[in-house]
């Protein structure tokens, strides 16, 4: 067994990921099959597609994938898909409206996963700026949406954003 | 029972067996937004995406277990079948409670256990009328319920002082009227005395009149200013008191999610801005509206056609104000945010000043501060710069009216159509008229600041406590100290439970030792017992009464806590010990200190019990602080004593002494003690071993020790090994 006090980085040949019949992520890690695997982003903001922790359902870490792109293509695709499920953070494509009603801010958004609405109690606690031109919107119920780069939004959305931020 | 979304008819027809549960997901299997219907009957689970046959159908007999796996921003309902796990549906975070319930229901069905009953708490909390999410712990929708605007709400604070405010207003009206006299007298002097060159007693009289009005004005202004100041100070006190009260009422969960230093500025700055609006602002608006009206009437009386010229710039000013208004609001919010960040930064760096110094990071802290500071400067220049433009611009526009009057009035005087005095009076009145108009910009500033401040303040006041007291709390009296945890589940974040299905019955007077790895949930366990947080599921009872229905002050009277992070207030040692019992006598304080084994070290201090401990108690050593905290917990003679690593920072000998003293004290008292040093818990009646939020073992030290592969045994062995190693070293 490898040094248990060190981080184990998985090589492409150490991990094979696939989707089980029931729609659950499964795979073979270090030659051992697992019928369900859990994935965690270790740096969800700074490195969303790198340093992915692969864990069993008992929350034991099997290893870390340094970069999804290093994996074999099928594994990489499944891993990307699973991350998208696990980190449900739709990307904002367009902001339809931002309204202030009494003490709630209501956002109507178009995202890559379809239209949605967010409700916030205020702006300064519900919006995070992890750096660059990104902004993460978190609504009262914990639903999140991400604006990956506000400069790339259309002018209507940008104007709305500028008005509030 | 709470109700669920009714299943559409086309799906109802396909059901077999008794329908137990239906739900609507808000995500499709591919993770996009969309609706799927899920129905659970006594026989199977069915999932539909569109009309027609179900996209997924599983027999209950195929199931082994079900779980709602929480993730970030959403979750997945997974059932474990004999063939492996199957995804039933995916949903966003808003629906987490519904699917947690669905998982429980499926689990119970699979294992043929008693079925859980749906309660209100399992449903997403949306307002029934407008569909927007409801706040925690309330059924009243903010959108539908509250109509009164921030301005009106603010004025409510002025209500107790309405008498003073009305007299201030009356004085203001009087001043305004009196103010209007001098230009008129000037006109009379010019037209009737100077022009006619008829030096009589009239001039003297008029001058005396002018003098009297000036005196009256000064007197009234002084009185009015004094009243304003007086009411203002009182208002400030009221608002600050209420903000602080709201802060104290809020639950710990509220502060977990926020930097606390921000509140320092909120309490002071926002209150000041609100006061400014209410005293100066309101008086200003009322006074000046009145003044404008009065001046205008007089001007029209003098010459209405010329007066109309004066009106010309007014629409320009109004239009200009309206366009500039949203921009100003935005800039002001940005400015506030920048200042807010600087405040947080200072607060944080100073609180952590020891860490900063320990790692030699002063320079980096300065850079961080410098960045935030520069940002404030930029925002300041932007906002204040705008004022510097607006202000002269308003004066200029207003001045245009004067030019028009001079020109038209001047030619009229030259043609002898008008007397010189009238023209001069008109110009003087016009000056007085535009004074307030120019102040419109200042008004915008005040109102803007006050409104943003008011919104922030009301936001704090309106945040419902997450651990609300029930309307009619049950009287508790003196409790025996029986504690009961019934299937308690709790997570600081809803989707990430930290304690799962905790079931524990503790007899009155029992001493329970909580052990487990770091992060197992021991502190969380006692946080729930103190009701710092409310359970997500399950009930905690003291003497059979659910703690939710006990008032919190009653509850805390029964409980004495030593928290893992010792916090002492800046005050004397005696103050800190007597914190929960301010009327404690010196004997009581000393007795408590003696039990906590703190008496001797305190007496040795030069200032004894009157030693000031400094901010957060930093003048005491870690172990000394802990002992003071223990004394603080035992002084009010609680029926339930909670010690979270209370003796972790003292040496073993001192710990033994404290333990002996506590052992005497805990007799007849229910005690929960947490310790990593297992020897600390040797007096415990029972040990409860927690692992990742679950109780894995319960029993006495001896009982648990014989379980060869038990967690407790492992912990004990590990510590023995360590102790031997240390022994060998020494
Ligand atoms: N205020 C909080 N907000 C969010 N998560 C928290 C909070 N406090 C604790 N947690 C999390 O809850 C879990 C249990 O924490 P808890 O403090 O109960 O552990 P513990 O058993 O007391 O550990 P220790 O022995 O180290 O004190 C940990 O995973 C921790 O990260
Ligand atoms: Mg702890």
């Amino acid at each position: 067994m490898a040094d248990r006090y060190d981080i184990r980085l998985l090589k492409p040949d150490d991990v094979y990921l696939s989707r089980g019949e029931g729609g659950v992520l499964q795979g073979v890690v270090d030659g051992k099959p697992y019928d369900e695997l859990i994935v965690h982003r270790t740096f969800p903001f700074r490195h969303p597609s790198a340093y992915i922790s692969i864990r069993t359902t008992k929350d034991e870490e099997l290893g870390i994938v340094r970069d999804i792109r290093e994996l074999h293509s099928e594994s990489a695709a499944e891993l990307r898909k699973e991350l998208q499920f696990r980190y449900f953070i739709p990307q904002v494509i367009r902001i339809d409206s931002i309204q202030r009603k009494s003490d709630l801010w209501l956002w109507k958004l178009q995202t890559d996963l379809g239209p949605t609405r967010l409700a916030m109690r205020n702006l300064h606690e519900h919006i995070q700026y992890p750096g660059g031109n990104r902004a993460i919107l978190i609504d009262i119920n914990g639903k999140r949406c991400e604006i990956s780069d506000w400069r790339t939004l259309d002018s209507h959305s940008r104007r709305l954003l500028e008005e509030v931020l | 029972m709470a109700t669920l979304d009714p299943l559409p008819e086309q799906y109802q027809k396909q059901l077999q067996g008794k329908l137990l549960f239906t739900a609507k997901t808000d995500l499709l299997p591919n993770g996009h937004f969309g609706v799927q219907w899920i129905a659970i009957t006594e026989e199977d689970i069915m999932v539909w995406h569109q009309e027609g046959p179900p996209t997924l159908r599983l027999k209950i007999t195929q199931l082994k277990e079900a779980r709602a796996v929480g993730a970030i921003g959403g979750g997945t309902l997974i059932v474990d079948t004999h063939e492996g796990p199957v995804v039933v549906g995916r949903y966003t975070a808003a629906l987490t409670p519904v699917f947690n319930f669905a998982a429980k229901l499926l689990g119970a069905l699979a294992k043929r256990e008693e079925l859980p009953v749906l309660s209100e708490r399992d449903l997403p909390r949306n307002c029934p009328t407008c569909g927007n999410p409801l706040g925690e712990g309330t059924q009243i929708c903010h959108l539908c319920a509250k109509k009164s605007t921030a301005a009106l709400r603010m004025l409510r604070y002025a209500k107790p002082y309405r008498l003073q405010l009305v007299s201030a207003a009356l004085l203001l009206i009087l001043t305004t009227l009196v103010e209007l006299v001098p230009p008129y007298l000037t006109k009379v002097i010019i037209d009737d005395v100077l022009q006619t060159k008829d030096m009589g007693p009239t001039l003297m009289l008029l001058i005396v009149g002018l003098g009297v009005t000036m005196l009256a004005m000064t007197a009234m202004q002084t009185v009015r200013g004094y009243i304003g100041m007086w009411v203002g100070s009182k208002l400030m006190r009221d608002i600050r008191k209420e903000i602080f009260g709201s802060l104290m009422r809020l639950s710990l969960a509220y502060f977990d999610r926020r930097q606390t230093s921000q509140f320092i500025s909120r309490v002071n700055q926002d209150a000041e801005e609100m006061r400014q609006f209410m005293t100066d602002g309101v008086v200003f608006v009322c006074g000046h509206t009145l003044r404008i009206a009065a001046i205008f009437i007089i001007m029209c009386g003098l010459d209405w056609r010329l007066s109309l010229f004066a009106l010309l710039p007014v629409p320009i000013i109004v239009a200009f104000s309206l366009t500039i208004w949203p921009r100003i609001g935005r800039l002001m919010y940005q400015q506030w945010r920048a200042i807010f960040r600087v405040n947080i930064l200072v607060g944080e760096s100073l609180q952590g000043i020891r860490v900063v110094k320990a790692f030699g990071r002063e320079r980096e802290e300065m850079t961080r501060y410098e960045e935030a500071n520069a940002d404030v400067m930029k925002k300041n220049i932007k906002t204040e710069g705008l004022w510097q433009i607006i202000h002269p611009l308003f004066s200029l526009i207003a001045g245009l009216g004067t030019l028009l009057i001079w020109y038209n009035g001047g030619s009229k005087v030259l043609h002898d159509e008008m007397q010189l005095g009238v023209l001069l009076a008109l110009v003087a009145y016009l000056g007085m008229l535009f004074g307030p108009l120019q102040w419109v910009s200042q008004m915008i500033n005040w109102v803007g600041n006050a409104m943003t401040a008011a919104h922030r303040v009301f936001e704090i006041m309106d945040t419902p406590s997450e651990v609300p007291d029930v309307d009619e709390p049950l009287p508790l009296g003196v409790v025996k100290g029986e504690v009961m945890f019934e299937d308690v589940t709790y997570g600081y974040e809803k989707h990430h439970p930290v304690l799962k299905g905790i079931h524990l019955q503790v007899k009155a007077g029992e001493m329970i030792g909580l052990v487990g790895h770091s992060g197992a949930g021991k502190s969380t366990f006692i946080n729930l017992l103190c009701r710092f947080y409310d359970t997500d599921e399950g009930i905690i009872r003291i003497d059979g009464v659910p703690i939710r229905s006990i008032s919190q002050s009653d509850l805390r009277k029964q409980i004495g806590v030593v928290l893992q992070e010792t916090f002492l207030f800046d005050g004397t040692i005696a103050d800190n010990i007597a914190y929960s019992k301010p009327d404690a006598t010196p004997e009581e304080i000393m007795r408590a200190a003696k039990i906590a084994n703190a008496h001797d070290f305190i007496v040795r201090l030069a200032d004894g019990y009157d030693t000031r401990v400094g901010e957060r108690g930093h003048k005491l050593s870690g172990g000394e602080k802990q002992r003071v905290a223990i004394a603080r917990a035992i002084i009010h003679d609680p029926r339930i004593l909670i010690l979270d690593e209370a003796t972790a920072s003292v040496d073993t000998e001192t710990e033994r002494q404290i333990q002996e003293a506590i052992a005497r004290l805990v007799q007849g008292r229910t005690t929960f003690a947490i310790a990593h040093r297992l020897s600390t818990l040797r007096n415990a009646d029972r040990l409860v071993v927690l692992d990742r939020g679950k109780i894995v073992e319960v029993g006495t030290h001896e009982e648990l020790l014989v379980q060869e592969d038990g967690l407790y045994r492992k912990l004990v062995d590990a510590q023995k090994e360590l102790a031997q190693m240390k022994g060998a070293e020494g």
Side-chain angles (χ1 to χ4, degrees):
Chain A
M1 194 178 151
D3 183 357
R4 51 187 286 230
Y5 297 107
D6 196 11
I7 289 289
R8 163 115 164 77
L9 289 175
L10 295 170
K11 304 219 170 47
D13 287 327
D14 298 334
V15 239
Y16 293 95
L17 300 174
S18 59
R19 196 140 299 268
E21 290 204 2
V24 175
L25 183 78
Q26 60 181 30
V28 179
V29 180
D30 289 330
K32 208 169 144 203
Y34 296 89
D35 65 1
E36 186 173 350
L37 287 170
I38 312 281
V39 294
H40 285 263
R41 280 187 175 130
T42 48
F43 296 89
F45 292 145
R46 263 194 294 165
H47 304 290
S49 66
Y51 302 104
I52 310 292
S53 166
I54 311 274
R55 295 172 163 255
T56 67
T57 45
K58 295 206 188 61
D59 210 25
E60 282 163 314
E61 182 167 274
L62 298 173
I64 300 246
V65 173
R66 184 156 51 193
D67 192 332
I68 299 185
R69 282 170 304 185
E70 287 176 2
L71 294 185
H72 293 300
S73 62
E74 194 206 351
S75 300
E78 284 308 337
L79 185 52
R80 280 211 183 88
K81 201 154 130 199
E82 186 64 20
L83 284 175
Q84 215 184 67
F85 288 148
R86 205 184 133 69
Y87 292 83
F88 183 76
I89 307 178
Q91 300 290 322
V92 176
I93 303 173
R94 185 185 150 86
I95 300 170
D96 286 340
S97 71
I98 304 174
Q99 276 181 311
R100 176 174 192 138
K101 281 218 189 135
S102 121
D103 63 350
L104 276 191
W105 292 84
L106 300 175
W107 298 60
K108 287 211 181 81
L109 303 171
Q110 297 291 336
T111 69
D112 58 343
L113 304 179
T116 190
R117 283 156 46 118
L118 299 179
M120 300 178 182
R121 189 125 294 146
N122 57 40
L123 298 174
H124 48 99
E125 283 166 9
H126 288 269
I127 304 182
Q128 287 184 4
Y129 305 94
N133 295 309
R134 286 168 67 199
I136 296 194
L137 316 174
I138 305 171
D139 97 335
I140 300 187
N141 285 322
K143 190 154 93 182
R144 299 179 182 210
C145 287
E146 182 184 341
I147 298 173
S148 50
D149 185 350
W150 59 265
R151 285 179 312 184
T152 60
L153 293 175
D154 60 314
S155 60
H156 172 74
S157 314
R158 269 212 315 267
R159 217 189 47 243
L160 288 179
L161 259 190
E162 270 164 27
E163 258 169 41
V164 295
L165 303 186
Chain B
M1 189 182 121
T3 47
L4 293 160
D5 299 314
L7 193 65
E9 200 162 329
Q10 74 244 30
Y11 302 142
Q12 291 235 347
K13 287 185 292 203
Q14 303 177 25
L15 295 178
Q16 284 165 3
K18 186 173 157 230
L19 182 65
L20 294 175
F21 176 85
T22 59
K24 209 162 69 166
T25 69
D26 51 1
L27 289 184
L28 298 179
N30 66 3
H32 286 229
F33 286 109
V35 173
Q36 279 198 308
W37 280 94
I38 295 180
I40 300 172
T41 69
E42 281 174 338
E43 285 173 23
D44 43 18
I45 315 170
M46 290 195 269
V47 182
W48 295 272
H49 174 34
Q50 283 156 342
E51 287 189 35
T55 43
L56 177 80
R57 180 168 198 156
L58 286 169
K59 288 261 164 260
I60 295 292
T61 47
Q62 284 174 280
L63 303 190
K64 284 194 299 193
E65 176 61 294
R67 30 199 178 110
V69 182
I72 316 302
T76 312
L77 179 64
I78 295 181
V79 291
D80 290 302
T81 68
H82 296 289
E83 285 83 48
V86 175
V87 174
V88 177
R90 300 186 192 274
Y91 47 86
T92 65
L95 295 181
T96 311
V98 183
F99 284 90
N100 280 342
F101 176 79
K104 246 195 301 177
L105 179 73
L106 284 171
L109 273 173
K111 285 180 264 171
R112 314 212 162 274
E113 289 166 357
E114 193 187 336
L115 300 183
V117 180
L118 188 70
S119 74
E120 288 292 340
R121 287 213 282 153
D122 297 322
L123 292 181
R125 307 173 42 76
N126 282 335
C127 170
T129 26
C130 64
N132 283 306
L134 287 175
E136 191 81 29
T138 162
Q139 289 295 343
I140 304 158
C141 175
H142 286 281
L143 289 190
C144 301
K146 243 196 351 269
K147 291 277 180 273
S148 77
T149 60
L152 281 181
R153 247 183 109 178
M154 234 190 302
L155 288 182
R156 234 176 275 158
Y157 288 96
K159 224 170 151 192
Y161 310 107
R162 53 181 174 255
L163 212 66
Q164 286 83 356
L165 282 175
V166 165
S167 44
L170 283 179
L171 278 176
L172 185 72
I173 296 174
L174 266 178
T175 335
T176 313
L177 295 181
V178 173
E179 250 178 340
L180 298 178
V181 174
Y184 193 81
L185 289 182
T186 327
K187 169 198 167 277
V188 178
I189 292 179
I190 292 173
D191 287 349
D192 299 352
V193 181
L194 297 183
Q195 299 252 315
T196 54
K197 313 249 171 168
D198 173 16
M199 174 63 181
T202 350
L203 180 63
M204 208 48 222
L205 261 178
L206 286 171
I207 289 176
V208 170
L210 264 180
V212 171
T213 41
M214 276 158 68
L215 252 175
M217 259 159 55
T218 316
M220 285 190 291
Q221 270 166 356
T222 317
V223 175
R224 187 171 59 87
Y226 188 81
I227 296 179
M229 183 274 305
W230 185 86
V231 173
S233 310
K234 299 230 160 185
L235 274 175
M236 278 285 276
R237 181 200 57 187
D238 294 353
I239 298 173
R240 276 198 306 247
K241 184 173 123 198
E242 200 163 326
I243 303 178
F244 193 71
S246 308
L247 285 175
M248 290 293 107
R249 179 186 53 80
L250 285 166
S251 61
L252 275 186
Y254 183 86
F255 297 103
D256 280 352
R257 284 185 230 114
R258 288 164 181 82
Q259 297 106 323
T260 36
S261 18
Q262 58 170 285
F263 295 109
I264 300 169
S265 78
R266 284 214 192 175
V267 173
N268 291 319
Q269 210 173 320
D270 291 350
E272 164 62 21
E273 266 156 23
M274 283 166 71
R275 179 207 60 84
Q276 210 170 43
F277 169 77
M278 281 188 285
T279 52
D280 306 350
V282 173
V283 169
F284 222 85
V285 175
C286 299
H288 284 307
T289 324
L290 191 87
R291 192 167 166 185
I292 291 174
I295 293 175
F296 205 71
I297 292 171
I298 296 180
M299 283 176 75
C300 284
L302 287 172
D303 187 318
W304 66 269
R305 258 163 310 186
L306 272 188
S307 309
L308 283 185
F309 283 118
L311 271 187
L312 276 180
V314 174
I316 307 180
I317 290 186
V318 171
F320 191 64
S321 312
L322 286 182
T323 42
I324 205 95
W325 175 241
R327 191 177 153 73
I328 288 176
R330 213 155 57 226
L331 281 178
M332 234 133 54
Y333 180 65
Q334 283 179 357
Q335 191 183 16
W336 178 77
R337 279 259 303 254
I339 294 174
F340 174 79
R341 269 197 292 270
V342 169
N343 282 346
I344 288 184
L345 230 143
V346 174
E348 210 180 47
S349 312
L350 291 186
Q351 269 172 25
I353 189 70
R354 274 146 211 277
V355 183
V356 173
K357 298 249 176 231
F359 287 94
R361 303 296 287 180
E362 293 95 337
R363 222 173 252 282
E364 283 74 7
E365 289 297 318
M366 269 167 68
T367 329
R368 276 208 315 158
Y369 182 80
E370 205 29 55
E371 278 166 19
N373 195 11
D375 195 40
V376 174
M377 174 201 72
K378 268 189 241 148
K379 298 279 154 55
N380 251 336
I381 291 181
K382 250 190 178 164
T383 318
E384 303 298 329
L386 195 63
W387 289 123
Q388 301 316 318
I389 299 172
I390 292 177
H391 221 70
L393 208 63
F394 270 37
S395 315
L396 180 69
I397 299 173
L400 292 180
T402 327
L403 293 184
L404 286 173
I405 290 196
W406 268 116
Y407 177 75
N408 289 293
S411 40
K412 274 189 176 181
V413 172
L414 287 180
H415 292 104
D416 270 341
E417 289 164 30
M418 189 194 229
Q419 286 189 299
L420 177 62
V422 176
L423 177 62
L424 288 183
L426 270 176
V427 170
Y429 281 127
L430 197 63
M432 288 169 74
L433 181 65
F434 281 132
L437 274 186
Q438 285 170 24
W439 280 98
V440 166
S441 52
Q442 180 59 39
M443 279 306 309
I444 298 177
N445 193 353
W446 271 348
V447 175
N449 272 331
M451 287 302 153
T452 35
H455 273 296
R456 290 190 298 262
V457 166
F458 291 148
E459 182 195 310
I460 298 182
M461 292 185 185
D462 292 343
T463 309
S465 170
E466 285 176 48
V467 286
D469 265 347
V470 288
D471 292 335
E472 286 173 25
L474 298 176
L476 198 58
V478 175
V479 298
K480 291 201 299 269
E482 249 172 49
V483 176
M484 175 86 183
F485 274 63
E486 288 175 15
D487 289 313
V488 170
T489 295
Y490 177 75
Y492 293 95
E493 315 266 350
K494 285 266 154 15
H495 55 82
H496 183 67
V498 173
L499 286 182
K500 298 163 222 161
I502 297 291
H503 197 90
L504 185 70
Q505 185 162 14
V506 180
K507 291 194 285 291
E510 207 175 1
M511 178 173 177
I512 298 288
L514 285 168
V515 285
H517 291 293
S518 179
K522 304 180 295 290
S523 300
T524 310
F525 182 95
I526 58 147
N527 282 346
L528 290 180
L529 180 58
C530 300
R531 198 161 176 233
F532 291 147
Y533 306 88
D534 260 343
T535 59
D536 292 336
E537 288 167 34
I539 302 175
I540 301 172
R541 294 173 194 274
I542 290 181
D543 282 7
V545 186
I547 55 170
R548 272 174 198 259
S549 45
I550 305 171
S551 85
Q552 287 178 49
S553 54
D554 251 12
L555 176 69
R556 307 268 154 77
K557 261 185 219 140
Q558 307 292 341
I559 296 183
V561 218
V562 182
L563 295 174
Q564 192 164 17
E565 284 133 48
T566 334
F567 183 92
L568 299 184
F569 291 96
D570 188 6
T572 65
I573 290 181
D575 292 343
N576 270 292
I577 294 181
Y579 182 66
S580 62
K581 194 177 179 190
D583 56 351
T585 60
E587 286 90 340
E588 286 175 308
I589 294 178
M590 278 192 293
R591 209 165 287 141
K594 184 85 191 173
I595 292 173
N597 208 328
H599 179 70
D600 292 328
F601 96 78
I602 297 173
V603 172
R604 272 197 297 269
L605 292 170
D607 294 342
Y609 280 90
D610 289 331
T611 309
R612 296 194 74 87
V613 298
E615 202 184 349
R616 270 169 292 133
H618 71 238
K619 286 189 195 149
L620 300 181
S621 82
E624 287 167 349
K625 256 191 287 195
Q626 278 198 329
R627 282 179 274 168
V628 172
I630 295 176
R632 176 171 66 189
I634 51 192
I635 195 165
H636 72 294
D637 194 17
R639 303 306 303 163
I640 299 174
L641 190 63
I642 293 174
L643 307 167
D644 189 353
E645 292 286 0
T647 49
S649 316
V650 298
D651 60 280
T652 23
E653 174 54 21
T654 315
E655 181 179 29
R656 199 186 52 74
Q657 289 170 9
I658 296 178
Q659 264 189 358
E660 273 166 23
I662 288 183
R664 252 180 292 143
L665 182 85
V666 299
Q667 269 162 21
R669 256 169 258 259
T670 313
T671 308
F672 291 86
I674 299 178
H676 283 296
R677 202 148 67 194
L678 297 173
S679 57
T680 312
L681 301 175
R682 64 182 152 223
N683 293 329
D685 297 314
R686 273 195 296 166
L687 294 169
V688 173
V689 187
L690 282 175
D691 189 28
R692 292 188 198 183
K694 291 200 177 124
I695 295 186
V696 287
E697 290 160 30
V698 179
T700 61
H701 172 73
E702 288 74 24
E703 283 166 15
L704 295 182
L705 213 55
V706 292
Q707 294 183 22
E708 287 280 330
D709 53 353
L711 182 66
Y712 184 71
R713 172 70 183 255
K714 276 189 209 146
L715 289 171
V716 172
D717 286 350
Q719 282 198 359
K720 262 195 209 140
E721 229 171 84
L722 207 64
Q724 274 161 12
M725 264 161 60
K726 280 204 182 128
E729 275 167 21

